[in-house]
Amino acid sequence: MLLQPDDAWRQTHLGRLLGHAMRRFDERVLHLMANDPEVPLGLSNLAARAQVGAAHIHITRHLALQGSRLTELAERAGMTKQAMGDLVTQCEAWGLVVREPDPQDARARQVRFTPTGLAWLNAFRTAVQQAEAEFRAEVGAEVATVVALGLEAYAGPAA
């Protein structure tokens, strides 16, 4: 069914464009990581077969280098504790993270990167840098700078 002219806004509004752009960026980052020789082969294969998705990137983006409690990680990622727990369980099975006792609270556990997880994080950094460079090349340096500044202002302070 064709959209009526007064209905087209639903496909072109800013939120939809931002969503498409984020999906495209994350897909490119995962593609680059799948082809990075520094990424352990098992993880590379998972990424290449789309087993690792944008949801798993939440852990990569939000897990503090010194470790994070599951509740903190879920809050930073804007997810429920249960959903983040499922992601952590998967990433634990893949060898990216471990759960360890929290040195500040014996009742609590912290999620930490493993050495494999730190290699994954480094590959993520490299892939993000390349994807950002590709974005700049596609839209031009000036537009990329304006987009970045606009998104920073709109999103507010980083958590």
Side-chain angles (χ1 to χ4, degrees), residues 68-151:
S68 302
R69 290 184 183 172
L70 187 65
T71 52
E72 297 166 340
L73 190 53
E75 185 177 308
R76 282 189 212 125
M79 300 173 68
T80 66
K81 184 179 171 184
Q82 181 179 352
M84 181 55 75
D86 292 344
L87 287 176
V88 167
T89 298
Q90 283 183 327
C91 289
E92 205 171 18
W94 297 337
L96 291 173
V97 299
V98 294
R99 295 180 213 220
E100 299 178 336
D102 186 331
Q104 305 298 321
D105 182 350
R107 300 166 298 164
R109 311 233 343 126
Q110 278 203 335
V111 180
R112 295 185 189 276
F113 283 114
T114 63
T116 298
L118 290 172
W120 175 262
L121 180 60
N122 191 51
F124 178 70
R125 177 193 335 230
T126 301
V128 165
Q129 289 169 343
Q130 183 173 340
E132 285 181 359
E134 292 171 359
F135 173 75
R136 284 187 166 291
E138 188 170 328
V139 302
E142 296 83 9
V143 171
T145 298
V146 169
V147 168
L149 290 171
L151 290 174

Side-chain angles (χ1 to χ4, degrees), residues 7-56:
D7 228 12
W9 67 270
R10 295 190 306 156
Q11 303 301 312
T12 59
H13 67 83
L14 184 59
R16 186 163 173 94
L17 295 173
L18 288 169
H20 284 307
M22 184 168 177
R23 275 190 298 282
R24 179 180 174 189
F25 189 87
D26 285 348
E27 286 170 5
R28 180 64 179 149
V29 166
L30 286 170
H31 174 78
L32 292 167
M33 291 176 75
N35 294 294
D36 185 333
E38 300 299 316
V39 172
L41 186 59
L43 291 172
S44 178
N45 287 334
L46 286 169
R49 292 191 329 263
Q51 298 297 307
V52 178
H56 298 95

